[in-house]
Amino acid sequence: MNDHKFLLNTPELKKENQLLSLIENQTKFNLNNCEFSIYETHKAAFDVKLHFETIAFTAMLRGKKHMKLDNKTGYFDYFPGESVLVSPGETMVIDFPEADETPSQCISLSLNPEFIENSLNHLNYHLPKVDETSQWNIELDEYFLFNNQSLASATNNIMRIAMDDNSQKDIMADFALKELLIRLMQTQARSMVEKNIAKNKSRIGFAVDYIKKNLHQKLSIDSIAKLAYVSKSNFFKMFKDELGTSPNEFILQERINKAKELLASQNSIKETAYQTGFSDANYFTRVFKQFVGVTPKSYQDKVLFLGS
């Protein structure tokens, strides 16, 4: 699914003589409701600990980290295009195996807990979810995320405001942080939906499961909305709120994801189009190219060549 991650803007790396430390050199920008930091590492290092007292949103800009969160299981690689949410009181334990050749650069946003609580209360009170079983809430267990376009754009925005010399930066940052929280929750929901965590818990989980199982058929928004016991207009609102996308966009994206799987398994273009609900192979080719950037044939040739 996530072979397309959105990279963030990268501030210039500091010259070595500007660094106070070659390992996790911190450049800090204080805002009213968050502390924004850029960390750079120019030297290979292992078992480096980074502790956060409050909830922190982190994102990789350059290089690579091999890391774990001290109270979660196992090490994982952390690359640009990915974000990690750190729970309050948690410590990152990090290796920088490649920093001699490729310096690493990442950001963290340590957020004021009261600001988060007030923002979530405001959303739940003034913009409640269509599905009454679901609330605006940050899932601390859904901590490893691939950046989609919306999350990357919101992160770039807060980064720009924090680094800008502007007398209104605190008020601008508060608006930008609220957008970042919404995009973070939508990205988490999408990630959970893709892992089927939300399947039986909610209307959106039911709707997504139904869509995934019926990609080969003509899917009508009207009939899915009826099956989820929600009006058509509320169905659109539910998708936008929960996943940050429209049902039609979601269905198309799922069809293309399924098509990639089928092409990688050596299905023909015609068969793949049929299996993913496209009545016409030419139309399928056009939509596939729009989403993926290459034709189904080129995609299949490349995948099969790499796999051989």
Side-chain angles (χ1 to χ4, degrees):
M1 158 65 210
N2 281 305
D3 50 4
H4 197 57
K5 297 180 294 195
F6 285 82
L7 302 178
L8 298 174
N9 298 338
T10 49
E12 294 237 341
L13 286 168
K14 287 191 179 298
K15 305 269 186 295
E16 291 211 355
N17 61 2
Q18 298 172 295
L19 298 167
L20 294 172
S21 163
L22 290 176
I23 299 161
E24 288 298 61
N25 183 83
Q26 183 183 19
T27 308
K28 202 189 297 186
F29 302 84
N30 282 313
L31 296 160
N32 217 1
N33 283 302
C34 94
E35 182 184 281
F36 171 77
S37 296
I38 303 173
Y39 290 94
E40 289 182 30
T41 295
H42 292 244
K43 177 182 161 197
F46 299 87
D47 212 32
V48 177
K49 294 185 173 60
L50 203 56
H51 183 76
F52 294 93
E53 276 309 319
T54 63
I55 190 168
F57 175 75
T58 73
M60 278 298 276
L61 305 183
R62 311 171 190 254
K64 169 188 171 181
K65 292 181 177 183
H66 184 64
M67 60 162 281
K68 67 173 180 174
L69 293 162
D70 64 355
N71 61 2
K72 301 207 166 72
T73 54
Y75 275 85
F76 57 89
D77 288 330
Y78 191 10
F79 290 108
E82 299 167 356
S83 297
V84 167
L85 189 66
V86 186
S87 297
E90 198 156 55
T91 303
M92 284 180 157
V93 184
I94 315 161
D95 295 340
F96 299 91
E98 296 166 12
D100 287 336
E101 297 81 40
T102 313
S104 93
Q105 187 184 42
C106 82
I107 57 164
S108 74
L109 285 157
S110 296
L111 301 161
N112 172 356
E114 204 178 310
F115 177 81
I116 295 177
E117 192 182 347
N118 291 341
S119 301
L120 296 183
N121 287 344
H122 181 88
L123 284 168
N124 283 317
Y125 185 75
H126 293 283
L127 293 165
K129 297 268 184 88
V130 168
D131 182 353
E132 57 285 347
T133 64
S134 179
Q135 281 207 314
W136 292 103
N137 186 32
I138 293 169
E139 302 285 347
L140 292 174
D141 287 338
E142 196 57 33
Y143 59 90
F144 181 80
L145 300 164
F146 290 97
N147 297 342
N148 53 34
Q149 195 166 6
S150 306
L151 186 61
S153 163
T155 309
N156 282 331
N157 194 30
I158 189 76
M159 217 185 329
R160 177 185 59 77
I161 292 167
M163 294 169 74
D164 198 13
D165 188 17
N166 183 324
S167 58
Q168 280 86 38
K169 71 159 41 173
D170 275 322
I171 185 109
M172 290 159 79
D174 283 357
F175 284 119
L177 283 173
K178 283 177 181 169
E179 185 194 353
L180 181 70
L181 289 175
I182 289 171
R183 298 305 187 190
L184 170 63
M185 289 184 280
Q186 288 171 339
T187 307
Q188 287 184 322
R190 184 80 185 253
S191 174
M192 287 162 75
V193 147
E194 272 155 17
K195 295 178 195 158
N196 275 346
I197 294 172
K199 186 154 113 185
N200 302 317
K201 290 185 188 167
S202 64
R203 292 178 196 202
I204 193 89
F206 166 81
V208 163
D209 194 47
Y210 182 85
I211 289 165
K212 283 174 179 276
K213 284 179 175 157
N214 291 282
L215 289 171
H216 57 291
Q217 302 196 49
K218 190 172 182 334
L219 286 165
S220 136
I221 301 294
D222 282 346
S223 58
I224 306 170
K226 279 199 184 87
L227 289 169
Y229 296 106
V230 62
S231 70
K232 189 177 175 182
S233 62
N234 273 342
F235 189 71
F236 276 91
K237 183 177 184 312
M238 177 172 85
F239 256 82
K240 267 292 188 202
D241 280 357
E242 292 278 355
L243 306 180
T245 187
S246 75
N248 295 324
E249 283 166 354
F250 182 81
I251 290 168
L252 257 186
Q253 185 66 68
E254 287 301 313
R255 290 195 199 282
I256 298 301
N257 291 340
K258 180 73 177 162
K260 285 178 173 178
E261 284 173 28
L262 293 166
L263 291 167
S265 305
Q266 302 191 13
N267 283 268
S268 71
I269 309 292
K270 199 170 177 183
E271 177 61 22
T272 300
Y274 175 72
Q275 289 281 352
T276 51
F278 290 92
S279 50
D280 171 60
N282 290 331
Y283 176 57
F284 163 65
T285 298
R286 210 161 62 241
V287 174
F288 189 93
K289 188 170 182 194
Q290 198 182 329
F291 270 79
V292 185
V294 294
T295 63
K297 183 81 183 81
S298 304
Y299 179 83
Q300 188 172 50
D301 290 346
K302 185 181 167 191
V303 169
L304 295 178
F305 172 75
L306 290 172
S308 62

